[in-house]
Amino acid sequence: MRLKSGTEQMRLLKQASNEDRLGTVLAGLDALGLTRWAINRPVFEAVRKVWNSGRELAEIPARSYDELEPVKPDNYDSDAAARYKYQMEMREWVNGRANQHSQRCDCNYKIEIAQAFLDHPMYFPHNMDFRGRAYPIPPHFNHLGNDLCRGLLMFDEGRPLTDKGLYWLKIHLANLFGKDKLSHDERIRFVEENVSHIMAIADDPMPDAFLASEPDATRPWWLDAENPWQALAACIDYAGAMRSPHPAEYVSHLHIHQDGTCNGLQHYAAMGRDRKGAEEVNLAMSERPQDVYSGILRVAERLVDEDAKNGVEEALQLQNKLTRKIVKQT
């Protein structure tokens, strides 16, 4: 268990252990650690092609840093303003080059791990933090990592998709393209309207003509997704199901992530029987997913506008400057 500094949490953990109240929690960690994972080979082959091309695509950084190094001005020694400008530009260039190299190394490490396990199952032992949230212990490559990690991984043991699973596969695919604020029917329609793209992706995820930047090459559709590598994995899985004689019986290995909407606020809404709050955090039925941050933003903007009308200086400075991002961060 990951503990915060201090002795209180360790004391409570020992007390729970002495009272034999950790069995269910530890069994859950065991179940997570015993889950077999595997590398999605078609996705890996697409990743390898992009990596070897040296191009910057879908979170894979370019082989080289192509930003031109700033030119030192002739009046560097005599003009303080020119010297300062050059120093700032040079610092930005050096930082950019270092960041690109770091990202390239990190991506290379993930690809090397995936290649090492191409023909072997993987296991991720887990631990948990003081809140009870479980995390994989291997830090560099796991199913809770970035889009590249998630796209490269799949369950080693497949299960029949079923009609319900096929439905959620479509929802998942639409979500990966940023359609998660649409109704379920609209998301299903989005996938069905793009079946031709999906089938083409499954046949040739990363065309050589596109990687070679040939003028008539078409950009692969999955690269336009918010999470492109997961979208590629979902497209391949969906195409496999549609091409099978019985799609509902297709054996899928795909992992689909689902997340709550502000879990803390969900608990508060449930405990307080707050129907309005429940609607904002998707505990109550609605046609479309709700966004609590946008709801809070609307309330904050209304209060700021009221104070601005009364001449409050702080409100006048905040008018038209609040954003959803600010609300989420605070």
Side-chain angles (χ1 to χ4, degrees):
M1 176 173 170
R2 302 179 181 182
L3 299 175
K4 295 174 65 177
S5 58
T7 61
E8 182 181 11
Q9 290 179 358
M10 178 58 74
R11 179 182 61 81
L12 293 173
L13 181 63
K14 288 182 177 179
Q15 179 181 341
S17 178
N18 293 336
E19 296 173 359
D20 197 24
R21 292 191 286 113
L22 295 181
T24 302
V25 173
L26 295 177
L29 290 178
D30 285 343
L32 290 170
L34 290 171
T35 301
R36 290 202 315 272
W37 294 82
I39 301 301
N40 190 322
R41 187 175 287 271
V43 174
F44 176 80
E45 294 301 333
V47 170
R48 182 156 53 185
K49 287 181 71 173
V50 174
W51 175 264
N52 290 338
S53 75
R55 290 186 58 178
E56 179 180 3
L57 280 174
E59 290 190 6
I60 295 182
R63 180 183 294 123
S64 59
Y65 187 62
D66 296 330
E67 293 293 325
L68 296 177
E69 182 176 350
V71 178
K72 188 175 182 178
D74 296 333
N75 58 347
Y76 177 85
D77 295 322
S78 59
D79 190 326
R83 181 167 60 252
Y84 177 78
K85 182 175 181 295
Y86 169 74
Q87 289 173 341
M88 292 299 101
E89 291 175 347
M90 192 65 186
R91 178 183 299 176
E92 183 178 351
W93 183 83
V94 169
N95 287 339
R97 184 180 61 177
N99 289 337
Q100 192 271 346
H101 178 71
S102 175
Q103 292 167 7
R104 183 81 178 174
C105 291
D106 176 69
C107 186
N108 183 41
Y109 194 31
K110 289 175 168 56
I111 294 173
E112 289 294 328
I113 294 172
Q115 183 168 358
F117 283 91
L118 267 178
D119 300 310
H120 304 283
M122 304 179 71
Y123 296 89
F124 297 114
H126 283 63
N127 61 13
M128 66 178 183
D129 63 12
F130 67 98
R131 301 168 296 179
R133 290 192 173 189
Y135 300 91
I137 293 174
H140 301 291
F141 187 77
N142 61 66
H143 56 284
L144 295 186
N146 63 5
D147 175 56
L148 178 62
C149 292
R150 296 186 184 197
L152 281 168
L153 284 166
M154 65 180 186
F155 290 123
D156 187 57
E157 180 184 351
R159 298 286 178 86
L161 201 53
T162 74
D163 290 328
K164 187 175 182 180
L166 184 60
Y167 174 87
W168 281 106
L169 176 56
K170 294 178 184 179
I171 298 294
H172 174 63
L173 183 50
N175 290 346
L176 296 172
F177 276 86
K179 307 300 180 181
D180 53 315
K181 297 298 185 287
L182 300 179
S183 69
H184 280 197
D185 288 342
E186 289 170 321
R187 283 181 255 185
I188 296 293
R189 191 179 311 122
F190 168 80
V191 171
E192 292 176 348
E193 289 174 351
N194 287 283
V195 167
S196 60
H197 290 300
I198 295 171
M199 296 303 180
I201 287 168
D203 292 334
D204 190 4
M206 184 53 63
D208 293 331
F210 172 74
L211 281 179
S213 301
E214 294 181 7
D216 58 342
T218 302
R219 177 181 170 87
W221 181 66
W222 61 272
L223 287 175
D224 296 328
E226 287 188 357
N227 298 282
W229 294 113
Q230 292 178 81
L232 173 58
C235 285
I236 293 171
D237 208 54
Y238 181 72
M242 291 297 98
R243 286 170 172 167
S244 67
H246 305 286
E249 298 176 8
Y250 172 78
V251 177
S252 174
H253 295 255
L254 196 68
H255 57 112
I256 294 178
H257 291 256
Q258 292 186 325
D259 195 9
T261 304
C262 301
N263 297 126
L265 295 181
Q266 286 181 327
H267 286 301
Y268 285 135
M271 289 189 295
R273 302 296 192 269
D274 178 5
R275 175 161 289 278
K276 177 61 177 174
E279 292 173 353
E280 292 288 351
V281 292
N282 296 307
L283 286 183
M285 294 294 293
S286 63
E287 178 64 23
R288 294 168 179 266
Q290 301 301 304
D291 179 23
V292 65
Y293 301 116
S294 296
I296 294 172
L297 174 61
R298 289 191 293 269
V299 173
E301 287 177 331
R302 176 173 56 79
L303 295 175
V304 167
D305 289 342
E306 291 176 359
D307 286 345
K309 289 179 181 178
N310 295 325
V312 178
E313 181 62 27
E314 293 82 357
L316 291 170
Q317 294 178 1
L318 284 174
Q319 267 193 313
N320 302 318
K321 294 180 180 177
L322 296 178
T323 65
R324 181 184 181 277
K325 183 177 182 180
I326 291 174
V327 172
K328 187 172 183 178
Q329 290 177 337
T330 55

